[in-house]
């Protein structure tokens, strides 16, 4: 999602932004903030723009950052590390790169300098938090605000979490520590209790559809994708852009054919693993199992689908390891055929 201009926000982002901006202007913004809500709703973009608002030294009459002062110019200078920092799922740890502003720091999945070959850490570790706390003790380089954005905050391991808590408990005026998380329940209760929450929720359907149409998707496509994504416009947009919806239809058809004994497990697994979309297929497969379970009254079958849902998600995690993807998927599909094949043979209930 575009963060370069204020008008680039989706309405649900704008609402959170306006709420937080009003708090900044009224001096009501606490030291610790927790940006939470589902992934791909643009939490990070809102956090970064709020940071720019705090770092701008010459804000416009409407309170928005000017885009021209030294603070804004440094904010806009971006760079990635070499090698680039990645999340465990392969996405960029900092999609727009680190900021050139010395008082804006991003903490996330950083490169482990001891690993050979060099690679990104799977967790946020205590050394990172200690370095951060030291920097936050210093006077901000440009004399204004100082902001740290931790993303994803739920990647903080236990020891680092305790260290971070100290920073949260000793606030200094003008220093901000912002946590971003799609899974806030994974954060310690103490950390959560020290932060003001900014909630990103799924928008009303009409708003999501209007936004998708503004992204050049047709009504029919937007509506189908939004249903598949359970009302999540960011996900629907992504699926419409990258063929995800076609893949979902294929996955649904493959699962039905496997259950009826019309498709082979090995052949299907090789196809699923063969083109770089294996993870997305497993995501859809897991979701389709939940959809199937939603309308059921048979508790045994509901439970079987729930178990298979977990298995699909675990298999998806396995794809990030050195395990051969097609073999992992074969096991998953065999379990599907065993469960759902019996079901198909015995007549469908529910
Ligand atoms: Zn400015």
């Amino acid at each position: 999602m575009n963060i370069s201009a204020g008008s680039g926000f989706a309405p649900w982002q704008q609402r959170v932004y306006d709420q937080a901006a009003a708090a900044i202007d009224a001096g009501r913004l606490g030291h610790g903030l927790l940006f939470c809500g589902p992934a791909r709703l643009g939490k990070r973009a809102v956090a970064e723009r709020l940071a720019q608002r705090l770092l701008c030294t010459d804000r416009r009459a409407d309170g928005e950052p000017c885009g021209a002062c030294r603070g804004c110019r440094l904010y806009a200078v971006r760079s990635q590390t070499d090698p680039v920092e990645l999340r465990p799922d392969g996405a960029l740890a900092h999609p727009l790169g680190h900021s050139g502003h010395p008082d804006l720091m991003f903490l996330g999945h950083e490169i482990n300098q001891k690993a050979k070959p060099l690679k990104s850490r799977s967790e946020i570790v205590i050394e990172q938090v200690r370095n951060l706390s030291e920097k936050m003790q210093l006077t901000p380089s440009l004399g204004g605000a100082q902001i740290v954005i931790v993303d994803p905050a739920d990647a903080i391991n236990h020891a680092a979490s305790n260290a971070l808590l100290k920073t949260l408990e000793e606030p200094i005026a003008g220093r901000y520590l912002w946590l971003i998380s799609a899974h806030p329940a994974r954060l310690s209760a103490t950390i959560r209790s020290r932060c003001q929450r900014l909630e990103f929720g799924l928008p009303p359907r009409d708003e999501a559809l209007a936004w998708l149409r503004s992204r050049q998707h047709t009504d029919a496509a937007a509506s189908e994708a939004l249903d598949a994504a359970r009302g999540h416009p960011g996900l629907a947009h992504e699926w419409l852009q990258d063929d995800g919806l076609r893949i979902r239809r294929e996955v649904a058809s493959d699962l039905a054919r496997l259950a009826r004994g019309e498709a082979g497990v090995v052949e299907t697994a090789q196809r699923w693993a063969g083109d770089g979309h294996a993870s997305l297929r497993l995501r859809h497969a897991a979701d389709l199992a939940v959809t199937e379970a939603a309308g059921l009254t048979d508790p045994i079958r509901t439970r079987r689908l729930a178990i298979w849902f977990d298995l699909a998600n675990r298999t998806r995690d396995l794809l990030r390891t050195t395990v051969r993807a097609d073999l992992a998927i074969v096991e998953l599909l065999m379990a599907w055929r065993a469960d759902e094949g019996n079901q198909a043979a015995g007549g469908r209930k529910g």
Side-chain angles (χ1 to χ4, degrees):
M1 281 164 208
N2 178 21
I3 70 153
S4 58
S7 57
F9 279 148
W12 59 89
Q13 287 177 296
Q14 192 69 46
R15 277 195 291 277
V16 180
Y17 177 80
D18 289 345
Q19 177 197 344
I24 291 177
D25 294 350
R28 286 186 283 108
L29 196 71
H31 167 72
L33 280 186
L34 175 56
F35 294 74
C36 49
R40 293 185 180 78
L41 283 180
K43 298 188 291 296
R44 175 67 177 260
V46 169
E48 291 200 24
R49 187 158 179 88
L50 283 169
Q52 185 186 4
R53 194 176 164 109
L54 282 165
L55 294 169
C56 175
T57 54
D58 190 19
R59 285 205 262 152
R60 299 185 333 208
D62 63 2
E64 288 300 297
C66 71
C69 71
R70 182 152 177 249
C72 283
R73 278 183 284 126
L74 285 168
Y75 165 86
V77 173
R78 296 302 171 110
S79 62
Q80 294 286 358
T81 58
D82 181 21
V84 69
E85 295 158 316
L86 298 174
R87 295 173 192 231
D89 68 2
L92 290 174
H94 307 292
L96 299 170
H98 287 279
S99 170
H101 198 300
D103 300 317
L104 175 60
M105 284 165 282
F106 300 151
L107 197 69
H109 291 281
E110 74 172 26
I111 301 295
N112 181 355
Q113 299 295 340
K114 291 176 206 142
K116 283 180 191 161
L118 291 176
K119 61 172 189 164
S120 299
R121 292 182 185 278
S122 59
E123 297 182 320
I124 294 174
V125 299
I126 192 162
E127 292 93 272
Q128 290 175 263
V129 176
R130 286 207 180 116
N131 288 339
L132 168 86
S133 308
E134 278 170 25
K135 279 186 195 147
M136 288 186 88
Q137 300 299 324
L138 304 172
T139 308
S141 306
L142 268 64
Q146 185 185 52
I147 304 126
V148 176
I149 296 177
V150 185
D151 182 23
D154 41 272
I156 296 175
N157 72 18
H158 184 70
S161 172
N162 287 335
L164 189 75
L165 192 57
K166 280 184 114 174
T167 307
L168 277 168
E169 282 173 340
E170 294 159 12
I172 306 172
R175 316 286 167 91
Y176 301 93
L177 181 57
W178 295 347
L179 310 181
I180 298 183
S181 176
H183 309 284
R186 292 183 194 163
L187 297 170
S188 83
T190 337
I191 287 206
R192 273 180 281 145
S193 73
R194 294 289 183 278
C195 296
Q196 280 172 257
R197 281 171 91 103
L198 285 177
E199 300 267 0
F200 286 69
L202 295 183
R205 185 177 170 82
D206 286 353
E207 187 176 291
L209 284 174
W211 181 77
L212 285 167
R213 279 195 298 268
S214 78
R215 293 323 221 210
Q216 318 305 329
H217 302 303
T218 65
D219 274 352
S223 187
E224 184 190 356
L226 195 62
D227 286 341
R230 293 168 190 278
H232 189 316
L235 209 52
H237 176 56
E238 194 177 301
W239 289 350
L240 286 166
Q241 275 192 315
D242 69 0
D243 229 10
L245 212 56
R246 180 187 60 75
I247 288 171
R248 183 182 175 91
R249 288 190 208 110
E250 270 177 25
V251 167
S253 149
D254 285 341
L255 290 175
R257 290 173 62 229
L258 282 164
R260 293 195 301 264
E262 294 168 9
V265 163
V266 173
E267 173 270 322
T268 308
Q270 282 171 348
R271 196 155 38 77
W272 281 23
D275 65 355
H277 292 305
S279 178
L280 181 62
R281 282 199 177 84
L282 294 187
R283 183 194 171 110
H284 283 312
D287 188 61
L288 287 162
V290 173
T291 308
E292 174 118 16
L296 294 178
T297 49
D298 174 357
I300 297 171
R301 182 145 179 255
T302 304
R303 179 160 165 70
R304 271 209 309 260
L305 283 166
I307 292 170
W308 195 81
F309 170 82
D310 286 342
L311 188 60
N313 285 325
R314 278 208 303 279
T315 307
R316 195 164 153 229
D317 290 340
L318 276 180
L319 298 182
R320 297 181 199 146
T321 69
T322 52
V323 168
R324 256 181 63 186
D326 58 337
L327 297 184
I329 296 172
V330 161
E331 285 205 28
L332 177 70
L333 297 184
M334 280 173 63
W336 176 264
R337 193 175 59 181
D339 288 355
E340 291 295 297
N342 290 339
Q343 190 62 39
R348 299 209 160 229
K349 294 176 195 168

